[in-house]
Amino acid sequence: VEGLQLTDFTFTAAKGKITMPASSQFEALVHSEIGVALANNKTPKEIGSIILSVAGGSYLFNFSESKQTRQTEFVAPTTPGTYSAVLTINFTDQTSGVFNWQVQAVPYGQIYEKKKGQKIFLSDAIISLYQQNQLWPAASFYQSNPQTTGADGIFGFMVPPGKYLLKIEKVGYSAETINLTVSGVVINPSVELLYLPLAIKDVIKPVA
């Protein structure tokens, strides 16, 4: 589009708290909200409308007077995969332009053990995310930290790019610690925990 590039749009997660790195393909957890915005001062000429089409849905951009931006939100598909997206810009001079990009909907990570070669998902595992030796303030990004797994063993975070430490704990299992350098915005590793049998002294009661 003349005078306008895809990188002029801002893509965000966590209700605008996290800005995604500029790219023609964006990664987000399945069923997470993604915001798309274009500042007024980025437009080469007056815009009539902007429409986003993705995963079978169409979303009209609204103009925010206070922010001087046009913006919309959509929810990433619930099925993991790569989805084509189209931004159509209609200018008031009857010209238009199109940007093509992609959304990669990625699954949540899962905590599991292996029994007879099969993955068994673990509930009640506690996943804590740290940054600079402090618990990452997830509440400021509309998320929870620590997270506790349910029967499906899933967890996931969407975070600003940076270095993080992930700690996974479950009673009766080995604890795992993973150092991560996040260049996108998703933290979703699947992690195997090892079952720790009770020590003999815990099983056999001493004779009185």
Side-chain angles (χ1 to χ4, degrees), residues 87-208:
L87 283 165
T88 303
I89 302 98
N90 298 305
F91 297 99
T92 55
D93 64 2
Q94 306 304 311
T95 62
S96 62
V98 171
F99 287 112
N100 294 286
W101 49 288
Q102 292 181 321
V103 178
Q104 186 176 2
V106 297
Y108 282 79
Q110 290 185 298
I111 308 302
Y112 65 93
E113 66 175 329
K114 280 189 176 179
K115 287 185 177 179
K116 298 179 180 179
Q118 297 292 318
K119 285 185 178 181
I120 308 296
F121 300 121
L122 295 175
S123 61
D124 298 317
I126 299 172
I127 297 95
S128 305
L129 184 65
Y130 293 87
Q131 189 175 42
Q132 296 178 345
N133 297 318
Q134 294 186 335
L135 198 66
W136 181 66
S140 298
F141 298 88
Y142 304 96
Q143 298 170 68
S144 298
N145 185 26
Q147 295 181 12
T148 302
T149 58
D152 53 9
I154 69 169
F155 79 97
F157 297 93
M158 291 186 69
V159 300
K163 293 184 177 181
Y164 296 87
L165 184 143
L166 194 67
K167 188 173 184 180
I168 302 107
E169 300 170 288
K170 178 176 169 63
V171 174
Y173 290 79
S174 61
E176 294 291 333
T177 300
I178 304 171
N179 287 294
L180 299 165
T181 299
V182 180
S183 55
V185 297
V186 175
I187 290 179
N188 66 336
S190 288
V191 181
E192 179 184 3
L193 297 186
L194 300 177
Y195 178 68
L196 297 176
L198 292 172
I200 292 177
K201 65 180 177 64
D202 296 327
V203 176
I204 303 175
K205 294 182 179 180
V207 178

Side-chain angles (χ1 to χ4, degrees), residues 30-46:
V30 291
H31 204 61
S32 59
E33 285 188 359
I34 300 173
V36 189
L38 177 67
N40 234 17
N41 60 9
K42 297 283 189 180
T43 60
K45 49 188 176 180
E46 190 174 350

